Amino acid sequence: MRTVVKVGGSLSADPARLRALLVALAEGAFGPCLVVPGGGEHADAVRAAQRRDGFDDAEAHRRALDAMSRMADYLHAIEPRLPVIALAFEDQRLQEPGGATEDTRVEPRGPLSHGERGPALRSETAATGVKPSIRTVTREGAGSLRSHIWDPAALRAGHPDIAETWDVTSDSLALWAATQLGAARCILVKSADAPAGADARALARIGLVDAAFPAFAARYGGAVAILGPAGERAVHLRAAA
């Protein structure tokens, strides 16, 4: 897998740009990619529910992962040529259990939760009686496959690399996945532009990325860029303090 592309949830407010991006990804404009969905309005709803109900950050983190799963369905509904995949764990690394490839193993998605998977997916299930599937791929084989959308549901079980707080959002998870998969590039598609020459810590200070992003960036060996409305800008990396 040569590139990880995080699609910010805020792009749902710009349907034309979002659709054009997904078409470009499906048609190979970025090469083979793993698409990481943001949480969008579903993650905003988790924040509001936490303020109202008072559950802890670990529970909020798990619900935010669910929000990303719902956004994965939403992106797939817009561009069906981008299948949703689950990357499972073996020895705390992104792996598919049993060494199966995309062509030999397809796992059914679990039940739709609270009717919140999105109208297009509910309609598909009602019409066909078949729930959408999540494909799984190996780390070794990822570089040769077409682009996919990542459903990060497996992370609900926890991972030692990933703090279960709001410091870690889909921004840092994209970098973490890029590191795990050995991706050469990680691109974050945002609804706002990055300041010219900004490094990872500067982007975290202004809130364009999450607080954990600089530490994940320091551990990642590839190139990082922000793709905003005005175009792509490289993120300067330096070791986190």
Side-chain angles (χ1 to χ4, degrees), residues 36-58:
V36 177
E41 62 185 15
H42 302 297
D44 294 339
V46 173
R47 292 178 186 271
Q50 186 183 28
R51 289 193 295 269
R52 181 187 67 238
D53 300 333
F55 49 81
D56 63 18
D57 278 355

Side-chain angles (χ1 to χ4, degrees), residues 2 7 23 27 32-33 43 50 54 59 66 68 77 81 85 113 125 139 142 149 158 178 185 188 198 201 229:
R2 290 195 292 271
V7 178
V23 168
E27 294 183 350
C33 294
Q50 186 183 28
E59 174 63 18
D66 291 342
M68 291 175 65
R81 291 177 295 174
I85 63 168
S113 59
T125 302
R139 180 173 183 264
I149 302 168
R185 300 185 72 208
L188 277 61
R201 282 190 282 186

Side-chain angles (χ1 to χ4, degrees), residues 21 37 67 69 84 89 91 93 111 115 128 138 143 158 160 169 199 201 205 226 229 231 235 241:
L21 172 66
S69 296
V84 178
F89 295 99
D91 298 328
R93 296 188 63 80
T128 66
T138 61
T169 70
D199 63 22
R201 282 190 282 186
R205 281 196 300 270
I226 304 290
V235 175

Side-chain angles (χ1 to χ4, degrees), residues 139-236:
R139 180 173 183 264
E140 290 78 9
S144 62
L145 298 176
R146 61 181 172 141
S147 295
H148 299 77
I149 302 168
W150 181 34
D151 180 342
L155 289 176
R156 288 186 108 263
H159 192 283
D161 291 349
I162 299 169
E164 294 182 327
T165 75
W166 284 111
D167 286 350
V168 178
T169 70
S170 53
D171 294 331
S172 285
L173 292 180
L175 273 177
W176 178 80
T179 301
Q180 292 286 301
L181 294 171
R185 300 185 72 208
C186 183
I187 302 171
L188 277 61
V189 185
K190 298 279 188 177
S191 57
D193 292 304
D199 63 22
R201 282 190 282 186
L203 295 177
R205 281 196 300 270
I206 64 174
L208 192 61
V209 297
D210 62 51
F213 189 84
F216 281 90
R219 294 193 290 270
Y220 174 53
V224 181
I226 304 290
L227 179 57
E232 184 176 317
R233 283 184 175 163
V235 175
H236 297 279

Side-chain angles (χ1 to χ4, degrees), residues 117-139:
R117 288 288 190 183
L121 274 294
R122 291 198 298 273
S123 297
E124 178 184 338
T125 302
T128 66
V130 177
K131 295 182 179 68
S133 293
I134 302 178
R135 297 181 184 274
T136 54
V137 297
T138 61
R139 180 173 183 264

